Amino acid sequence: MSVVTLKNGELTAAIDAMGAQLTSLSLGGKEYLWQADPAVWGKHAPILFPIVGSIRDGKAESAQGEVTLGRHGLARDYEHAVVAQSEGSVTFELTDSEETRSAYPYAFKLNMTYELTGPASLTQTFRVENTGDVDLPFSVGGHPAFNVPAPGGEGEAFDDYELAFTKPWSCVAPKICDGGLLTYRTAEMVIDRSDVLPITHGLFAADAVMLSEVPDDTLTLRSRVSGHGVKIDFPGFKYIGIWSAEGDAPFVALEPWTGHATLDTEDNVFEHKRNITILAPGEVDERSFTVTLL
């Protein structure tokens, strides 16, 4: 495996070419990113492509034939080639192959760029190009998980943390149901005219919480005690998933998504998935989110 390290002053990031996954994000030698304890959750920050979440029974119909994908797609399971690199930036590339086309029958080029864009900020950019001669349907998403308590908050409790928004708002969140599908039948109002959402392990009893149309496409995961945590800005991503593993997992994942799992009310046609992106041949779609360490 090949790991690329980026540095900008006291900010350091490491990215593994296997899955083009961020594996470390530290400031002044203090680690903010979850370190993939396999006894809890053995990943750091997988990339999600060409689906976010699950499709019904792992299968869907498409204009090009059957799609057979596990949760969050296939990009995280392949080695990505490094195609550009500097001290503060690296770009990876994954293209379709006979193997990927057996599961996802489309031609594509996925570039993942990680760039240190400030003294405490990392920007992650998804660039998808349709290299085929038919329309390309897909979703992308990030999945970085951050240590809670954060560096500087030693001695704090998980429940000392909250999500802070730029203004009061309300959000009704769907639930993940059988088979990993999404349902609004048991949706709950998780934010009611407030600019904060307290973080507790109980919040994730039914898996991830999906927020949509977050004010100003930004939120902050922070301690009410010390103020330490992370801020994430995600323009161009309609949704953000908030998740932590079962039990007392000491992390929270902040996951910008362009799409989501199949709704229990949807059919099995891949192109019919709500908010799926469809690119014409030769077109490019580019989205970025930025994490700032606090």
Side-chain angles (χ1 to χ4, degrees), residues 69-226:
L69 292 168
R71 191 176 193 184
H72 294 325
L74 52 77
R76 63 183 183 169
D77 298 325
Y78 287 89
E79 188 93 5
H80 295 231
V82 175
V83 294
Q85 185 177 353
S86 66
E87 185 178 21
S89 176
V90 63
T91 298
F92 296 88
E93 186 168 288
L94 178 70
T95 57
D96 62 283
S97 64
E98 183 177 350
E99 185 174 59
T100 68
R101 290 191 298 274
S102 69
Y104 175 60
Y106 292 92
F108 66 85
K109 181 166 67 175
L110 170 66
N111 288 115
M112 291 298 314
T113 298
Y114 295 86
E115 183 177 7
L116 303 183
T117 49
S121 297
L122 170 78
T123 297
Q124 182 172 339
T125 300
F126 297 74
R127 184 184 187 274
V128 179
E129 180 179 352
N130 183 351
T131 58
D133 54 10
V134 298
D135 287 349
L136 176 69
F138 69 94
S139 297
V140 297
H143 201 306
F146 300 98
N147 292 323
V148 175
E154 291 77 10
E156 295 174 345
F158 190 90
D159 290 5
D160 288 329
Y161 283 71
E162 65 187 8
L163 294 179
F165 305 95
T166 59
K167 60 185 177 183
W169 68 304
S170 299
C171 182
V172 174
K175 293 287 186 66
I176 294 177
C177 59
D178 292 344
L181 303 188
L182 208 61
T183 182
Y184 278 90
R185 301 176 195 273
T186 55
E188 292 185 0
M189 181 170 285
V190 293
I191 304 168
D192 186 7
R193 295 167 292 180
S194 178
D195 60 357
V196 295
L197 173 62
I199 294 293
T200 66
H201 289 294
L203 181 65
F204 310 108
D207 210 304
V209 176
M210 187 183 84
L211 309 180
S212 58
E213 301 183 4
V214 174
D216 301 313
D217 300 318
T218 185
L219 61 81
T220 300
L221 171 66
R222 70 183 184 195
S223 165
R224 289 186 295 271
V225 179
S226 66

Side-chain angles (χ1 to χ4, degrees), residues 144 146 217-221 230-234 240 254-256 289-292:
F146 300 98
D217 300 318
T218 185
L219 61 81
T220 300
L221 171 66
V230 297
K231 177 174 176 281
I232 186 165
D233 295 284
F234 48 99
I240 187 163
L254 306 177
E255 310 174 30
F289 66 86
T290 298
V291 172
T292 301

